[in-house]
């Protein structure tokens, strides 16, 4: 999450054993003074100038992504698999959030359409289109998440009916995203709420939320590279089983509208934290969400994870790679249940500590790409380059875009 709310966790880092780095521990990189050899069964593997990591010997040296790890396989909730990672060393998706249409929304889901700041030059905002083109061409990104407030889409009406004027503005960004060849996530950025009231639990009825998704999905039903992000960061939900019913209503609406093949992202409670979804009950409830035909094809678990001291995404310094507290238990849970996850928000400051820990987090995710599909950094778009987690490239007087330090050193796949 990128708010002042903090989830408690204990920041654990890999420990060395008899002078050797542990599996998934750091073993090299600029300024590194720790162990440079690994425990038995692991190999110190170069990631970039800032980071080398002890990876299982069987996963090193692989540079291509196997189609067997794609999100197109139907799974049973009772399926179990080997606990060992079978990742190929490359993720399927690398991306950036292009924020702006969500501006003005707070964590209670209270927004006004006037608060949005579209990342579009034609609406007097920053050049989000140019940013996406740069990220694809220069950095090799292939996914963008496009946050938008429910209120913006419906013209400040608690309804599922789209406001044609506002939706057309948002669609300009979506179409520009699609034109790059990337996958584009439609993200309703309302924290499971509309103006403070939880959907299906005292707020808008599930049927209203389903109508919203029916209208969105009808418009994009034939667009292969659209990804439907059901809801950003639900939190403090009184009943996670009821929330799973709300998510089911959205999934059924999307599929019934004709969008039968695209990925749908399923968000849990606790700000969709990768450190809790496997243990807080909401993940277990989401495992029961199905497509109308009973399958679970392309129903992907949505998770977020920041690396600062309070997990808020508000601090420039990072203190953990989240491997021990989040990614290891999450990967095990996903394998046990035959499911996959996408990390749609992660980030840090443009600092040395965030270079170290972000490189480590990404290396672990690559080693576990059988269950972790990729990550989407927070954030560019309408954020200025002075924003604490800015991934907005700097624009020179000659129009040349230069990436933020964390992007160029860790997060860009090229």
């Amino acid at each position: 999450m990128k708010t002042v709310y903090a989830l408690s966790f204990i920041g654990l880092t890999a420990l060395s054993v008899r002078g050797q780095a542990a599996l998934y521990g750091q073993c090299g990189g600029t300024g590194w003074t720790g162990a440079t050899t690994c425990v038995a069964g692991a190999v110190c593997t170069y990631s970039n100038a800032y980071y080398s990591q002890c990876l299982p010997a069987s996963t090193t040296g692989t540079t291509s992504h196997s189609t067997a790890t794609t999100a197109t396989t139907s799974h049973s909730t009772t399926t179990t698999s080997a606990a060992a990672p079978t990742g190929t060393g490359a993720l399927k998706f690398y991306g950036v959030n292009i924020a702006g249409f969500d501006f003005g929304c707070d964590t209670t889901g209270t927004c006004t359409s006037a608060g949005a700041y579209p990342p579009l030059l034609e609406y007097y905002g920053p050049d989000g289109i140019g940013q996406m083109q740069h990220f694809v061409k220069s950095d090799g990104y292939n996914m963008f998440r496009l946050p938008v407030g429910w209120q913006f889409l419906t013209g400040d009406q608690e309804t599922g009916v789209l406001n044609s004027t506002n939706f057309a503005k948002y669609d300009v960004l979506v179409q520009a995203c699609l034109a790059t060849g990337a996958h584009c996530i439609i993200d309703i950025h309302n924290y499971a709420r509309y103006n403070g009231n939880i959907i299906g639990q005292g707020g808008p009825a599930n049927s209203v939320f389903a109508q919203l998704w029916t209208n969105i999905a009808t418009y994009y039903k034939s667009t292969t590279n659209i990804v439907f992000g059901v809801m950003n960061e639900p939190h403090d939900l009184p009943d996670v089983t009821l929330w799973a019913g709300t998510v089911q209503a959205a999934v059924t609406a999307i599929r019934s509208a004709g969008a039968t093949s695209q990925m749908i992202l399923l968000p849990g409670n606790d700000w969709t934290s990768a450190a809790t979804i496997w243990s807080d009950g909401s993940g277990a409830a989401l495992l029961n969400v199905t497509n109308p035909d009973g399958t679970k094809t392309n129903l992907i678990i949505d998770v977020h994870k920041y690396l600062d001291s309070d997990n808020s995404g508000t601090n420039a310094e990072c203190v953990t790679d989240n491997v021990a507290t989040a990614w290891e238990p999450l990967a095990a849970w996903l394998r046990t249940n035959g499911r996959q996850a996408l990390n749609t928000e992660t980030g840090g400051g443009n600092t040395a500590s965030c270079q170290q820990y972000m490189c480590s987090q990404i290396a672990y995710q690559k080693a576990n790409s059988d269950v972790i599909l990729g990550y989407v950094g927070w954030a560019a778009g309408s954020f200025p380059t002075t924003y604490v987690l800015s991934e907005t490239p700097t624009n020179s007087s000659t129009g040349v875009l230069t990436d933020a330090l964390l992007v160029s050193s860790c997060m860009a796949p090229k």
Side-chain angles (χ1 to χ4, degrees), residues 150-151 153-154 156-162 188 190 192-195 197-217 230-231 243 245-251 253-254:
W150 183 346
Q151 289 86 338
L153 292 175
T154 60
D156 298 310
Q157 300 299 309
E158 189 177 314
T159 178
V161 178
L162 298 172
I188 307 299
N190 276 71
R193 292 158 167 80
Y194 188 100
N195 290 347
N197 298 311
I198 299 173
I199 306 164
Q201 301 185 51
N206 286 349
S207 58
V208 176
F209 189 51
Q211 182 186 32
L212 177 68
W213 274 115
T214 292
N215 289 325
I216 294 171
V230 168
M231 178 56 61
W243 173 247
T246 300
V247 174
Q248 179 66 73
V251 169
I254 291 166

Side-chain angles (χ1 to χ4, degrees), residues 15-24 37-44 54-55:
L15 301 177
S16 62
V17 178
R18 293 190 298 275
Q20 294 181 308
L23 184 63
Y24 302 118
T37 59
C38 304
V39 295
V43 176
C44 188
C54 291
L55 298 179

Side-chain angles (χ1 to χ4, degrees), residues 282-348:
S282 61
L286 291 174
L287 293 177
N288 297 315
V289 175
T290 68
N291 294 310
D293 63 1
T295 68
K296 297 177 181 179
T297 306
N298 282 334
L299 301 183
I300 308 301
I301 303 299
D302 193 0
V303 294
H304 292 176
K305 203 74 186 81
Y306 288 93
L307 297 82
D308 51 354
S309 60
D310 59 2
N311 193 43
S312 65
T314 61
N315 302 294
E317 298 296 335
C318 297
V319 300
T320 178
D321 59 10
N322 298 305
V323 170
T325 56
W327 299 114
E328 284 183 344
L330 175 64
W333 180 80
L334 291 166
R335 289 192 187 95
T336 296
N337 291 286
R339 303 302 288 271
Q340 294 173 314
L342 180 63
N343 182 14
T344 60
E345 275 191 31
T346 190

